[in-house]
Amino acid sequence: MPNEENNSQNQNLEKENRKEKINTLRKMGINPFPNNYEVSFKSKDIKENFEELEKNQTEVAIAGRIMLYRIMGKSSFLTIKDSTGNIQAYIQRDKVGDDFYNNVFKKLIDIGDIVGVKGTVFKTKTGEITIYANEIKLLTKSINPLPEKFHGLTDMELRYRQRYVDLIMNDEVKELFIKR
């Protein structure tokens, strides 16, 4: 039982930390729950029409939940999950603005938050289709942290009680849910 108590305390601390981030965003004049964002493509559409989008340098706008977050100094990579799949976004400090990148993006945006990303598409050196972001907008600040990606939801009782988390984390369950 001590491990469960420790886990519960950590989750409560994480929730409080995220609530503080919401207050900080509001003090900065950023609405953590805006009600407007125009999506022009889904991740699946971008992947299917990549060559044409890249050739024409078409600006795409996508919205989704941050599933992975990798900061590398002046640039970062996000994996964003929308209703049709995952896509990577590349955020560069010089492109989105030094102040926003250092004070909002790196400090106040977390895994599980829903963001909108606008930019053009390209392929990375590893061949992954990526959005080169010129704008990133927080659409919803997540208060509850997602389970860790590697272990996910392993407790069956918890999977049934928190169905929404299971649908977010487990693509097979989501596909089955949609088919039914």
Side-chain angles (χ1 to χ4, degrees):
M1 290 298 186
N3 195 21
E4 279 183 33
E5 235 176 77
N6 213 5
N7 191 25
S8 179
Q9 282 180 330
N10 288 344
Q11 278 191 325
N12 287 337
L13 286 172
E14 180 69 23
K15 285 181 186 179
E16 289 304 314
N17 183 21
R18 288 177 180 227
K19 288 177 184 177
E20 273 302 310
K21 288 179 179 183
I22 289 172
N23 291 333
T24 303
L25 285 164
R26 286 188 172 132
K27 287 176 188 169
M28 295 171 83
I30 298 171
N31 182 0
F33 307 102
N35 57 0
N36 62 336
Y37 189 77
E38 292 290 324
V39 173
S40 62
F41 290 90
K42 299 280 188 182
S43 60
K44 185 177 179 184
D45 301 332
I46 292 171
K47 290 177 180 178
E48 288 173 355
N49 302 307
F50 171 73
E51 285 80 17
E52 183 183 334
L53 293 170
E54 184 184 39
K55 187 177 87 176
N56 298 333
Q57 288 294 297
T58 306
E59 184 175 82
V60 298
I62 188 169
R65 187 175 300 275
I66 299 173
M67 300 304 284
L68 289 171
Y69 192 92
R70 298 173 301 284
I71 297 175
M72 298 172 214
K74 296 179 184 180
S75 60
S76 300
F77 286 95
L78 299 177
T79 299
I80 298 171
K81 182 177 186 176
D82 67 5
S83 61
T84 61
N86 295 329
I87 194 158
Q88 182 171 264
Y90 175 64
I91 292 87
Q92 196 172 34
R93 183 183 70 188
D94 298 337
K95 193 85 164 173
V96 297
D98 193 37
D99 186 49
F100 177 82
Y101 185 79
N102 289 321
N103 298 320
V104 177
F105 180 74
K106 284 174 76 174
K107 293 180 181 174
L108 302 174
I109 293 180
D110 298 306
I111 291 176
D113 292 351
I114 297 175
V115 295
V117 176
K118 284 185 185 175
T120 55
V121 293
F122 74 101
K123 264 191 187 169
T124 62
K125 291 177 187 172
T126 59
E128 187 165 358
I129 296 172
T130 304
I131 300 171
Y132 184 28
N134 56 34
E135 181 185 310
I136 183 166
K137 182 178 182 180
L138 179 65
L139 302 178
T140 301
K141 182 73 184 142
S142 173
I143 295 173
N144 292 321
L146 293 175
E148 59 179 275
K149 183 77 174 159
F150 182 70
H151 294 101
L153 280 177
T154 53
D155 182 2
M156 286 304 284
E157 184 179 338
L158 191 62
R159 285 180 66 180
Y160 289 121
R161 271 191 287 131
Q162 296 182 348
R163 200 67 175 158
Y164 61 97
V165 178
D166 195 24
L167 291 169
I168 291 169
M169 297 301 295
N170 192 338
D171 287 333
E172 293 84 31
V173 171
K174 182 181 135 194
E175 289 300 319
L176 184 63
F177 189 80
I178 291 170
K179 286 177 185 172
R180 286 185 179 173

